[in-house]
Amino acid sequence: MSFRSLGLCNALLKAVAEQGYATPSPIQVEAIPAVLSGRDLMAVAHTGTGKTAAFCLPVMQLLSEGSSPQAKKVRGLIITPTRELAAQVSASLERYSRHMNIRSAVVFGGVRIEPQISLLQEGLDMLVATPGRLIDLYNQQAFNFDQLEILVLDEADRMLDMGFVDDIRHIQSLLPSNRQTLMFSATFSKQIKSLATGMLDNPLLLEVTAANSTVDTVKQLIYSVDKARKSEALIQLIKNNDWHQILVFSRTKRGADNLVTQLKNAAISADSIHANRTQHARTLALDGFRNGSIKVLVATDIASRGIDVDQLPCVINFDLPYVPEDYVHRIGRTGRVGSTGLAISLFSEDESKQLQTIERVIGRKLERQIIPGFAPSQKAPVDSSDDDLYGNFEPDPKPRRRDQPQGWAGHGRKSTNKKRKR
């Protein structure tokens, strides 16, 4: 299977080849022809499966075949939950459209709004935005949706987790009904299904992996350690393994900053990225992590979206998340697009309930190990009541597609037989 066989134009094929990509990923194989056909799409795909290209490439091709944007109008809109993810998607658009006449821009909060208003004056083929700043710009009449043809919701499950559902519903009310809508999510929960039901018209459902499963290319380990010795254990792991690029997840902003201080005291270059940091500081930290001047990046779940680093070898959960789906998102930062990765969780006795919930959601028990010299003083309780569930779980490695998921009949936007204008 090649990108050419998916129906992409020569300009996009050239850009893809220049990025070093020869073979499309499973989500790209399924999604690109579906989007090019004009269908609405609900895609369930983990981070690292190539989903950004799965919607960027066909959307740009469709827009390139239509008329130019008018002043203060947007033809394609991509909504993301965080600033970092918005910047990442915008960078992908620029790389893939380098041989096309596509005008795009990105807008998000935390920076001055005036330059963003100026960007919108001449109109855009593609706008990447976070929900809050998008609404602010609309309310200031910086642009309108009269010419909108395509809407993409990226990481829709994270937008719901972050409380953006009302913003998304409000944005939906401003959009023309005759549009193509694409929704991408790492999970397919009841909330996501409900959101999709109201926004998509007779969508094609694609599932690259079993819902809420973790990718097989990531080796997952649990290190049992006393809570008070987690920082010490982390430092030893980093030094013993000579890791040069590690993404560490902290449950809280204060915990992230405290951990950075301890790492620096141990002569390990580190920085944090979380919601309390300015956009400039977050950008500097992410750039330093990518170029290697920062060895350890400590992030909270909200700020982690958009951390896209090629061949990231290791992700460490300093704290287990309260929301089990966040575990899936976290470890999806490594083992991307077929490469192998390592995910380590430092587990203390007080996190037993979180671990049990995570194991139920991902359908497997995680291998427990002890770091030499860091055996916990108290053994954590282990729930063995769900052994049958773990043993019977078998992920589906192949994409599945269904024209209309059960329970969606009669819902969604009103269907129209009119051909969408490009």
Side-chain angles (χ1 to χ4, degrees), residues 100-113:
M100 308 177 76
N101 186 24
I102 293 289
R103 188 160 62 244
S104 64
V106 58
V107 296
F108 46 73
V111 296
R112 292 176 59 237
I113 198 171

Side-chain angles (χ1 to χ4, degrees), residues 294-341:
I294 294 172
K295 178 180 291 189
V296 182
L297 185 64
V298 185
T300 56
D301 288 300
I302 289 179
S304 70
R305 296 309 169 115
I307 299 178
D308 185 14
V309 180
D310 291 337
Q311 306 301 319
L312 182 63
C314 183
V315 167
I316 297 179
N317 294 305
F318 188 80
D319 306 304
L320 288 181
Y322 286 121
V323 179
E325 287 80 9
D326 284 339
Y327 177 84
V328 177
H329 293 309
R330 288 180 178 188
I331 72 169
R333 300 290 126 183
T334 185
R336 299 170 70 86
V337 196
S339 63
T340 58

Side-chain angles (χ1 to χ4, degrees), residues 21 23-26 28 47-51 217 311 334-339:
Y21 302 131
T23 305
S25 68
Q28 292 163 2
T47 296
T49 56
K51 65 180 177 62
T217 55
Q311 306 301 319
T334 185
R336 299 170 70 86
V337 196
S339 63

Side-chain angles (χ1 to χ4, degrees), residues 75-380:
R75 299 178 60 216
L77 173 64
I78 301 173
I79 303 178
T80 72
T82 67
R83 309 166 191 173
E84 285 74 25
L85 182 56
Q88 172 195 319
V89 172
S90 178
S92 295
L93 285 173
E94 291 182 5
R95 290 194 298 269
Y96 294 134
S97 65
R98 60 195 310 172
H99 304 298
M100 308 177 76
N101 186 24
I102 293 289
R103 188 160 62 244
S104 64
V106 58
V107 296
F108 46 73
V111 296
R112 292 176 59 237
I113 198 171
E114 291 80 11
Q116 297 177 353
I117 292 176
S118 298
L119 287 172
L120 292 160
Q121 294 303 299
E122 295 183 10
L124 294 170
D125 293 294
M126 288 296 303
L127 176 64
V128 186
T130 51
R133 179 51 60 95
L134 182 69
I135 293 173
D136 288 343
L137 287 164
Y138 183 87
N139 289 339
Q140 294 193 36
Q141 299 182 340
F143 74 101
N144 62 65
F145 294 115
D146 294 350
Q147 204 179 352
L148 188 84
E149 300 173 39
I150 304 174
L151 167 68
V152 181
L153 295 178
D154 191 14
E155 300 203 357
D157 50 342
R158 173 54 54 180
M159 280 192 267
L160 296 189
D161 291 343
M162 294 174 65
F164 286 133
V165 63
D166 290 339
D167 287 342
I168 297 301
R169 294 292 191 193
H170 177 58
I171 294 168
Q172 178 190 4
S173 70
L174 306 174
L175 305 179
S177 60
N178 187 26
R179 67 175 191 272
Q180 184 177 8
T181 303
L182 316 175
M183 184 179 295
F184 285 75
S185 176
T187 59
F188 193 41
S189 63
K190 291 181 180 179
Q191 293 80 6
I192 287 296
K193 184 175 180 179
S194 175
L195 181 65
T197 296
M199 298 191 72
L200 279 69
D201 181 13
N202 188 29
L204 175 67
L205 175 63
L206 299 180
E207 295 182 77
V208 170
T209 57
N212 301 330
S213 69
T214 52
V215 292
D216 294 332
T217 55
V218 178
K219 183 178 182 180
Q220 302 170 64
L221 297 176
I222 296 289
Y223 283 125
S224 298
V225 62
D226 287 333
K227 185 175 183 178
R229 301 191 68 194
K230 278 192 176 184
S231 298
E232 184 185 353
L234 175 62
I235 291 169
Q236 179 161 312
L237 282 173
I238 292 172
K239 291 186 174 181
N240 287 353
N241 291 279
D242 195 28
W243 289 321
H244 296 287
Q245 196 176 46
I246 314 100
L247 177 59
V248 178
F249 284 96
S250 169
R251 192 182 301 138
T252 67
K253 294 171 284 190
R254 178 179 295 180
D257 289 337
N258 288 341
L259 183 55
V260 167
T261 299
Q262 295 178 67
L263 290 169
K264 288 181 176 178
N265 289 339
I268 298 173
S269 58
D271 207 343
S272 64
I273 180 169
H274 55 69
N276 280 2
R277 303 206 68 189
T278 66
Q279 184 58 41
H280 180 65
R282 290 160 69 167
T283 300
L284 287 178
L286 191 52
D287 288 345
F289 185 58
R290 284 176 173 146
N291 65 34
S293 60
I294 294 172
K295 178 180 291 189
V296 182
L297 185 64
V298 185
T300 56
D301 288 300
I302 289 179
S304 70
R305 296 309 169 115
I307 299 178
D308 185 14
V309 180
D310 291 337
Q311 306 301 319
L312 182 63
C314 183
V315 167
I316 297 179
N317 294 305
F318 188 80
D319 306 304
L320 288 181
Y322 286 121
V323 179
E325 287 80 9
D326 284 339
Y327 177 84
V328 177
H329 293 309
R330 288 180 178 188
I331 72 169
R333 300 290 126 183
T334 185
R336 299 170 70 86
V337 196
S339 63
T340 58
L342 175 64
I344 292 173
S345 297
L346 300 179
F347 167 66
S348 56
E349 183 273 336
D350 62 306
E351 297 173 307
S352 295
K353 289 185 178 179
Q354 290 103 293
L355 179 57
Q356 291 164 16
T357 304
I358 289 169
E359 290 178 326
R360 291 191 186 101
V361 167
I362 67 175
R364 68 176 70 175
K365 283 196 172 183
L366 299 173
E367 179 183 350
R368 273 78 156 172
Q369 295 187 5
I370 298 295
I371 304 172
F374 287 89
S377 58
Q378 181 178 1
K379 186 176 180 180

